[in-house]
Amino acid sequence: MREIMQEKVDVVTIYDRTAGRIAPYRLRWHGKTFDITKVGLHYTYWRGRDLHHIFTVTDGTTFFKLDHDTSNLQWMLTEVHDGLAD
Amino acid sequence: MDLPINANEPLVMHIDLNSCFATVEQQANPLLRGKPIAVAAYASPAGCVLAPSIEAKRYGVRVGMNVRTARLLYPQLVVLEPDPNKYRFIHLMMRKVLRNYTDRITPKSIDEVVIDFADSRMLNKRPLTDIGAEIKQRFRREIGEWISASIGLGPNRFLAKVAAGLQKPDGLEVIDHANLLATYERLRLLDLPGINVRYEARLNAAAIHTPLDFYRAPLRLLHRQVFRSVNGYYWYLRLRGWEIDAIDFKRRSYGQSYALPQATADPKQLSQLLMKLCEKAGRRMRKADYVAQSVWLSCLYRDRTHWARGRQTHRQLATTYELFIAAQRLLNQQPAIKAVTHLAVSFADLMPTSPYQPELFETEDTRRRRAGAAVDQINNRYGEFIITPALMLGMESRILDRISFGGSVKELQEIYD
């Protein structure tokens, strides 16, 4: 089941100075905490002049798509999927 | 005397990301890996499958099939709508990796690239099969572990593409003068890029039933009887490994099309869709500093009939309003009011915007163009469709961002810009 949304979420990130990479480590959504076990893809896109970083992540059972707007440093959850057909 | 097979070293590499859109979605969402999934234009039953995953292909899910049929083949099929930002990013990453080897990279589509190593052979003597294997590894390491590519090497673009298609997924094959005929022996005519069912029928009519027959066909037969044009000569060269496809075509038009999820004959809805198509095509055209002098409109109807009309204009078309008025005039000329399933518009006879000849006295056109330029600037700053024509109100999500298949090379240039 796939759900498209636009909700602010709490996100803890980790910066790896050796790889020069930042990645979400934990997120809290609807009062539940999810520990991220894998980042599927990290990519960027421009909305006008604002750069957005997208992190697609999973805790092993649920998929989350996180959108980080670099113009206001907000984290939005834009998609949740359980990996099964609708 | 027959032209011999090109015996030069196979220096053209064709790289094809396997089941690109679906593989990228599996890369993004690890929960989908190893599962039959499909990316479709729409997730609704009538939506057209654009890319089945390798696992879905094993159940018979094919490109062009509708979602309803695909789900009959595999009821648990996960269907996703396209996410062009992901695919553009992967394409740019692929290009970034390849630029480490040469700058002679020609994108053929969002998931296909051709590299010509002819000029860089003096600098790099490594076997190209080693480079191919390394590229595949680097795609996995630098783009994503689920990303796989089929790579083909040949003496020309055509044979390199044939080689890339020999083993899917994840193949690395070479076609050269030594194995060319043996390769043709195990293929069907439809396996050759550029040969569709219509060409196959034409070839069959000339007693050509296999690629080997095709290769052995005399030039005169191909030129005079089968293709009845210079294309016969091109095929004669292509099949022997001589390069005929290394041509860059100039952009001649800007177009946009939309497959309606539900057919409609409602003139208001069609006008709204047309306005959005004009806005999208117009934005791209203006960004590249062109104005158009002709417009083409095409409608595909629910009864599977087709109608198209084009018109040259006396004036240059630049703003969305100008483009829309010209296209709407054509739409109004439809001979019958029928439910439209596919609407396409394109603007051609392009002229560079500059040098611009300012008018001595300000006219309505000047004011409109200035307003249009200001709207473009606002949309550049804040994102597409922040300011839209009133006719488009309430249809923000209609006509989604999409990546076209085939022939989209010129659009890729817009990704790089």
Side-chain angles (χ1 to χ4, degrees):
Chain A
M1 180 75 179
R2 184 176 181 226
E3 213 180 317
I4 304 291
M5 61 196 67
Q6 198 73 21
E7 288 182 29
K8 280 185 188 171
V9 277
D10 299 315
V11 178
V12 179
T13 60
I14 282 189
Y15 174 65
D16 177 346
R17 70 184 162 86
T18 325
R21 264 190 224 134
I22 192 166
Y25 167 73
R26 181 173 286 166
L27 71 96
R28 197 161 65 213
W29 176 57
H30 285 188
K32 275 183 75 180
T33 302
F34 300 88
D35 286 331
I36 290 158
T37 53
K38 188 159 185 61
V39 177
L41 199 63
H42 166 212
Y43 61 98
T44 55
Y45 77 95
W46 292 88
R47 180 169 170 79
R49 263 190 255 158
D50 299 339
L51 178 66
H52 288 244
H53 282 261
I54 305 291
F55 293 89
T56 63
V57 300
T58 178
D59 68 340
T61 50
T62 311
F63 164 83
F64 304 95
K65 185 170 168 186
L66 296 163
D67 185 329
H68 182 58
D69 183 344
T70 58
S71 70
N72 57 18
L73 303 182
Q74 298 283 348
W75 284 91
M76 301 289 252
L77 181 61
T78 60
E79 187 184 329
V80 174
H81 196 278
D82 59 6
L84 302 172
D86 291 341
Chain B
M1 198 181 77
D2 273 356
L3 184 73
I5 294 171
N6 183 350
N8 288 330
E9 192 187 351
L11 295 177
V12 181
M13 184 181 279
H14 186 100
I15 301 175
D16 182 354
L17 291 186
N18 299 132
S19 305
C20 176
F21 293 1
T23 307
V24 172
E25 293 298 342
Q26 288 175 317
Q27 173 61 46
N29 182 350
L31 302 179
L32 299 178
R33 295 182 191 175
K35 288 184 184 172
I37 74 158
V39 175
Y42 302 98
S44 53
C48 173
V49 171
L50 303 174
S53 67
I54 291 159
E55 300 82 359
K57 283 178 182 169
R58 289 188 192 127
Y59 287 92
V61 179
R62 296 277 175 264
V63 175
M65 196 175 257
N66 63 37
V67 169
R68 188 184 298 111
T69 314
R71 284 214 166 109
L72 283 173
L73 293 167
Y74 189 77
Q76 287 82 42
L77 186 75
V78 176
V79 180
L80 302 168
E81 292 190 355
D83 183 351
N85 286 327
K86 269 188 208 131
Y87 315 142
R88 289 187 190 112
F89 181 81
I90 295 289
H91 177 85
L92 291 175
M93 289 295 288
M94 175 166 77
R95 194 165 179 261
K96 191 176 161 192
V97 170
L98 299 176
R99 282 180 75 90
N100 286 294
Y101 299 93
T102 173
D103 62 347
R104 296 285 300 271
I105 302 167
T106 311
K108 300 304 290 179
S109 68
I110 195 84
D111 61 346
E112 285 185 309
V113 165
V114 171
I115 306 178
D116 186 349
F117 283 98
D119 292 345
S120 53
R121 255 351 238 160
M122 294 300 284
L123 300 169
N124 193 344
K125 300 257 189 226
R126 282 174 66 198
L128 290 183
T129 44
D130 284 5
I131 292 181
E134 185 178 280
I135 286 171
K136 282 147 74 80
Q137 274 178 8
R138 288 190 62 179
F139 280 179
R140 286 208 165 89
R141 200 171 57 231
E142 294 171 38
I143 306 177
E145 69 269 36
W146 201 256
I147 301 294
S148 69
S150 286
I151 296 185
L153 284 159
N156 67 355
R157 290 184 181 207
F158 169 73
L159 290 179
K161 188 172 167 76
V162 172
L166 289 177
Q167 194 198 323
K168 283 195 168 183
D170 212 19
L172 174 55
E173 298 281 332
V174 183
I175 298 179
D176 59 13
H177 68 285
N179 68 355
L180 177 64
L181 299 185
T183 306
Y184 282 156
E185 231 170 64
R186 58 190 170 110
L187 296 176
R188 299 169 310 143
L189 282 172
L190 288 175
D191 293 328
L192 302 180
I195 297 296
N196 56 22
V197 284
R198 280 168 51 203
Y199 275 133
E200 186 192 33
R202 270 201 216 184
L203 290 163
N204 292 162
I208 296 170
H209 296 279
T210 65
L212 213 50
D213 292 343
F214 196 6
Y215 164 79
R216 287 182 179 139
L219 171 61
R220 196 179 164 81
L221 176 76
L222 296 178
H223 187 59
R224 295 273 172 88
Q225 200 174 319
V226 181
F227 293 96
R228 291 182 204 142
S229 71
V230 71
N231 277 333
Y233 177 59
Y234 292 158
W235 273 107
Y236 185 80
L237 295 175
R238 206 176 269 138
L239 288 161
R240 283 160 177 74
W242 299 99
E243 191 57 89
I244 193 68
D245 300 304
I247 306 159
D248 286 332
F249 293 98
K250 242 181 84 181
R251 179 179 277 285
R252 290 172 189 272
S253 64
Y254 282 86
Q256 209 75 40
S257 67
Y258 182 58
L260 284 74
Q262 278 192 320
T264 181
D266 178 6
K268 190 182 167 197
Q269 272 192 46
L270 289 174
S271 279
Q272 281 187 321
L273 294 173
L274 187 61
M275 174 62 97
K276 193 153 185 178
L277 293 175
C278 292
E279 167 71 357
K280 290 187 83 168
R283 285 273 290 149
R284 291 167 47 225
M285 185 180 79
R286 292 190 295 271
K287 201 172 167 190
D289 282 329
Y290 282 113
V291 292
Q293 295 180 115
S294 70
V295 54
W296 292 85
L297 184 86
S298 136
C299 299
L300 193 64
Y301 299 103
R302 189 160 48 195
D303 62 7
R304 296 183 184 269
T305 56
H306 175 251
W307 174 82
R309 179 64 54 95
R311 181 172 165 263
Q312 281 201 313
T313 56
H314 299 298
R315 46 191 290 200
Q316 296 180 341
L317 309 172
T319 63
T320 298
Y321 178 79
E322 290 165 343
L323 298 170
F324 171 70
I325 292 292
Q328 178 71 45
R329 273 190 189 171
L330 294 181
L331 186 66
N332 293 345
Q333 291 173 23
Q334 286 180 93
I337 303 298
K338 293 193 284 187
V340 176
T341 56
H342 188 271
L343 186 64
V345 67
S346 77
F347 301 99
D349 285 332
L350 301 175
M351 295 266 292
T353 310
S354 54
Y356 173 65
Q357 174 69 55
E359 287 171 328
L360 188 57
F361 302 104
E362 193 172 68
T363 63
E364 185 62 27
D365 278 357
T366 325
R367 281 195 291 275
R368 201 168 273 142
R369 284 196 186 189
R370 277 218 310 264
V375 169
D376 279 348
Q377 273 185 24
I378 293 169
N379 287 334
N380 287 344
R381 169 65 187 89
Y382 295 101
E384 295 303 317
F385 306 122
I386 291 294
I387 293 192
T388 61
L391 191 60
M392 274 167 52
L393 278 176
M395 57 175 307
E396 287 75 13
S397 61
R398 305 278 292 276
I399 309 186
L400 304 161
D401 184 14
R402 290 286 194 252
I403 288 187
S404 64
F405 277 97
S408 58
V409 182
K410 294 172 195 81
E411 279 173 32
L412 293 173
Q413 193 54 50
E414 292 167 23
I415 301 177
Y416 307 146
D417 291 344

